[in-house]
Every structure is written in structure tokens, then in C-alpha cells.
Amino acid sequence: MQDPIRSIREALGFLADGDETASSTDSEHEPESTRFFGSALDALKSVAPEGSTVNAVGFDSLDSFLRAGYRVTDGDADVAIARGGEREFALARKLACRKLVLVPTHAYASSATERYRTADGAYAVMKHGKKPNAVSFDRNDTDRNLASVFGEIAALDLDAFDLTFGAQMRGERTDNALTEEVAELVTDTTNKLRGVVKDRAACAEILIESGKTAARITERNPALLHASGAAQTAEALRMLYSAEERELGMRGETEFMLAGIVTDFYIKKLNESDAAFPPDNNKRIDRLCEYFATDVRRTCVYMSAVYPPFKMRLYEYRRTEFRAEQCAMLAGVKRRQLAAAPVFKRLYPDDGYGLKTLIDKTDLPVCIALAPDVFASDTLLTFFKQTGKLEKYLV
């Protein structure tokens, strides 16, 4: 029987706005590398002369811009400058402007690339937009939740694994140098933080430098952003909490914690027998609308279609062929997660005591089961959906 998602997409006559499958080709020429600065004002001065109009997003005070001779507006401007994280970055990219400056207090890894995440109803989608001309990494403006900042950087480790897994399944070249670079970044950051974990100023200094490295890595490899099963599950958890009007921690916190859970899930399931039954996308549509309060039209557009039989057989073969390599990679990711976990917890004033209630474990089965259908990414978790291994978690 034909997959209902394919039929609905054909009837609707369009792909999701911002769907990476719709337009993932890069421009004919390489964009100019984003420049890094130590303050928002220095970054602004590098791209626009005095007297330019500035539309600022996320700033508590605009006095420094006014004193420097800039004109501030809430409309079209010469420069859009955004302080905060991905939400503020997305807002700034939607403004009519010639130059873009970002001032991340977190979300360091996504601050130098043209690829960004934004909202479509309850869903989050990846889009290509304006590449930042300059980024300010101000150690005095780092988010006070240093654990979240560290979590965002450490979570790149599982992103690198899933990016490699997706390339192997598609028969493409894998970037081993990228995987090693991310692993080195996570290890180096963990080791540096371990000795100064209760010195906030020292930790902020280390995280700023690691954040710059993470930004350069994702600038060269934008597909790395939000490429893991943990990122998918974090998005599902965000949608669930939003639908139920519950408070959720910062993205870096939840994604780092979920990365450990998803990695354990990967290690367990990767060595199980092959496919059972194809996924039931009709049931999944019902559950997404019920649990996540999603719009059925968008649900049908963003849900991953069931693989045709030949593709599924090819993927199953490749998964078996590369299983030993994937298990070795996951073992390395797990070792680094175990080393990072105590540092992550001790970055909190209560040494992580509050993490006991940050995520309700009863929410995890449905979030893991539906994660491949709330945020598109060619991950091992998406493959498990195709093999029917996640169906038993749908209640």
C-alpha cells in the first residue's frame, strides 16, 4: 500500500518551506568567512560606518550604539544585530538589512553559518539565510547557565556520529577529519573545565574559546548543526512541553542529557536483529496531533516518508556492512560523554542536583519514538523508525 505521507505531499503540491531536501545546493561561490570580535560594538563598527541605521534584536539597552553615532530603528536598516541564541538570530535574519551581526550569549556553534533553525507552527525547520558578517564573542556577556553552553558544544559529538552514519547509508564519502576535530574539541574543553569548574570567569573564558572553535567547525560543515538523534528528541521534547504548557530547560542542557540517553539507545539497538514491520505513519500522525498539538497539514508535510523496499534493503545491508565501525564510533562518543558528565553537573551551583527533575523520564519513550517525524535528519534514530523498532514505544 502506498505510504500516505507521499500521497498527501503530492496532493498538497509542495515541500516544506526550508526543507533541506528542497534546496540544499550551495551557492556557486564560497561566502566570505565570518569575522570574530570581542564586543558587539567592535563587530558593528567592522561592517558599518558611523551614521548607519541599526535594527537591534535582544538588547536590553541601545545606548552604546547611540553614543557611537549609529541610528537605531525598528524597521529596515543597514545592519541587523542580534543578541541571544537561535531564536534571536532567526528574527534578525528576517529583517531587511545589508549586513548581519550576531552576539551569541549561547548557541555559539550556530553563530557563523548561513544555515539556521526557525519555527513553522509547532515545528522547527532548517533554512538557508543570510550569513553573518561578524560575530561578537564577549566573555562578559556569556549566559549565566554555563552548563547549557558546555552542553551545546559537547552535543556536537553525537551530531558528528549521525552525520557519518547518514553518509554511510547514502553511499557518500565520510568526513573522518571532521569527526576527529569534534572529538578533540569535546575532549579538550572537558579537560580544561575540569580543573576550574567552580571558577565562573575561568569557565566562561574557556567556553568562549571553545565556542569560537565550534563556530568555525560548523561554518565549514553546516550540515553538522542539529544532525543527531538527540537533537531530534530534544525538539520532540520541546514540542511536548509547549503543548502541555510546561517549562523546559535550555537547549544545551536538554540536548546534552538526551545525547547520553540516545547514545545508550543506539548501542543497544544497533546490535539487535534487523527490521520487524514498517512504521505506521497513520498512527504517527494521530500521535503527533494528540501529544504535540500539531497542525495535521504540517504534520503530513514534515513527517519522514516510509522508505521504499529497495532503499530499505540497501540501508539494512549498509548498516550491517558498517556496523563494526559504527559501534567503535559510538563507544568513543560514550567515553567522552562519561568524562563530560561530571563537569557538566558541577557547572551548576547545586552540582547538578536540579537535573533530577529537568526531564521527566516518562516523557522519553514517546519523544524518542516520534523524534524522526518532528525534525528531519538522516540519523540512526530515523533509520530505527524505518525498521519499525520505535513503534512499540507509541502508546
Side-chain angles (χ1 to χ4, degrees):
M1 185 174 70
Q2 186 178 13
D3 178 24
I5 303 306
R6 294 182 184 277
S7 301
I8 292 168
R9 279 176 166 161
E10 291 170 2
L12 290 173
F14 68 93
L15 282 171
D17 182 24
D19 191 336
E20 289 298 334
T21 60
S23 177
S24 59
T25 57
D26 294 325
S27 59
E28 293 181 0
H29 61 279
E30 287 294 325
E32 183 180 349
S33 180
T34 298
R35 289 178 290 171
F36 293 165
F37 296 87
S39 76
L41 194 56
D42 287 344
L44 178 58
K45 288 178 178 178
S46 75
V47 301
E50 180 181 331
S52 301
T53 54
V54 175
N55 191 326
V57 176
F59 286 87
D60 298 326
S61 173
L62 305 177
D63 290 348
S64 62
F65 302 144
L66 294 170
R67 287 195 300 269
Y70 291 95
R71 292 177 294 148
V72 177
T73 178
D74 59 0
D76 295 352
D78 298 315
V79 183
I81 182 168
R83 173 186 177 275
E86 287 188 327
R87 182 174 64 88
E88 290 78 13
F89 299 169
L91 290 173
R93 281 187 169 97
K94 294 174 184 177
L95 299 173
C97 62
R98 290 196 296 270
K99 300 288 186 177
L100 177 65
V101 176
L102 300 182
V103 186
T105 59
H106 52 288
Y108 292 147
S110 62
S111 63
T113 177
E114 76 282 359
R115 194 174 299 193
Y116 71 105
R117 186 176 58 188
T118 188
D120 179 25
Y123 287 88
V125 293
M126 292 298 292
K127 290 188 177 182
H128 288 273
K130 183 181 290 294
K131 191 178 190 301
N133 301 95
V135 173
S136 165
F137 287 96
D138 187 346
R139 57 185 50 81
N140 297 315
D141 201 25
T142 302
D143 193 283
R144 294 199 63 80
N145 191 337
L146 294 178
S148 177
V149 178
F150 177 48
E152 289 175 345
I153 295 170
L156 290 174
D157 213 353
L158 192 60
D159 286 310
F161 166 80
D162 269 315
L163 199 64
T164 300
F165 173 83
Q168 289 172 335
M169 294 300 99
R170 296 187 299 271
E172 298 172 357
R173 182 182 67 85
T174 58
D175 192 342
N176 295 328
L178 170 62
T179 303
E180 292 171 3
E181 188 176 15
V182 171
E184 183 179 351
L185 170 63
V186 174
T187 300
D188 185 57
T189 306
T190 300
N191 290 338
K192 287 180 178 177
L193 287 173
R194 185 179 289 114
V196 296
V197 73
K198 288 303 180 183
D199 183 338
R200 185 182 184 280
C203 288
E205 185 86 20
I206 291 166
L207 289 169
I208 283 289
E209 294 307 313
S210 294
K212 290 178 182 178
T213 303
R216 286 299 187 211
I217 291 173
T218 54
E219 183 182 27
R220 297 191 304 268
N221 308 275
L224 184 66
L225 278 177
H226 315 306
S228 74
Q232 291 175 298
T233 306
E235 193 56 43
L237 191 67
R238 179 198 65 79
M239 292 171 70
L240 177 65
Y241 275 50
S242 177
E244 297 181 352
E245 298 182 345
R246 287 191 278 163
E247 292 292 329
L248 185 62
M250 293 183 69
R251 178 80 182 202
E253 296 175 293
T254 56
E255 191 163 327
F256 177 78
M257 293 180 67
L258 289 170
I261 294 168
V262 170
T263 301
D264 290 339
F265 188 77
Y266 279 4
I267 292 171
K268 176 183 176 182
K269 294 293 181 181
L270 194 60
N271 291 305
E272 286 186 357
S273 58
D274 291 337
F277 300 97
D280 184 347
N281 271 351
N282 288 316
K283 183 178 181 180
R284 287 174 165 271
I285 291 171
D286 291 340
R287 295 298 180 267
L288 284 162
C289 293
E290 176 186 357
Y291 292 126
F292 298 161
T294 57
D295 174 82
V296 66
R297 178 182 173 93
R298 287 187 173 92
T299 298
C300 294
V301 170
Y302 289 124
M303 176 171 285
S304 58
V306 177
Y307 291 169
F310 174 77
K311 182 176 180 179
M312 193 67 241
R313 289 194 296 270
L314 177 60
Y315 272 40
E316 287 177 334
Y317 165 77
R318 282 176 171 155
R319 191 270 300 263
T320 302
E321 180 69 17
F322 292 105
R323 195 195 308 264
E325 296 172 38
Q326 291 164 3
C327 286
M329 283 186 66
L330 284 172
V333 170
K334 191 63 190 177
R335 283 195 301 271
R336 291 185 288 276
Q337 287 174 348
L338 291 173
V343 175
F344 173 76
K345 290 191 291 185
R346 285 158 198 168
L347 284 170
Y348 291 96
D350 64 359
D351 298 316
Y353 178 76
L355 295 175
K356 291 177 176 290
T357 56
L358 185 67
I359 297 175
D360 188 339
K361 291 185 178 180
T362 61
D363 295 326
L364 292 179
V366 70
C367 287
I368 289 175
L370 294 174
D373 293 320
V374 303
F375 195 70
S377 190
D378 203 1
T379 65
L380 180 54
L381 194 61
T382 298
F383 176 77
F384 286 154
K385 174 208 165 168
Q386 299 294 340
T387 63
K389 292 183 181 298
L390 303 183
E391 298 302 287
K392 65 181 180 182
Y393 302 108
L394 293 176
V395 294

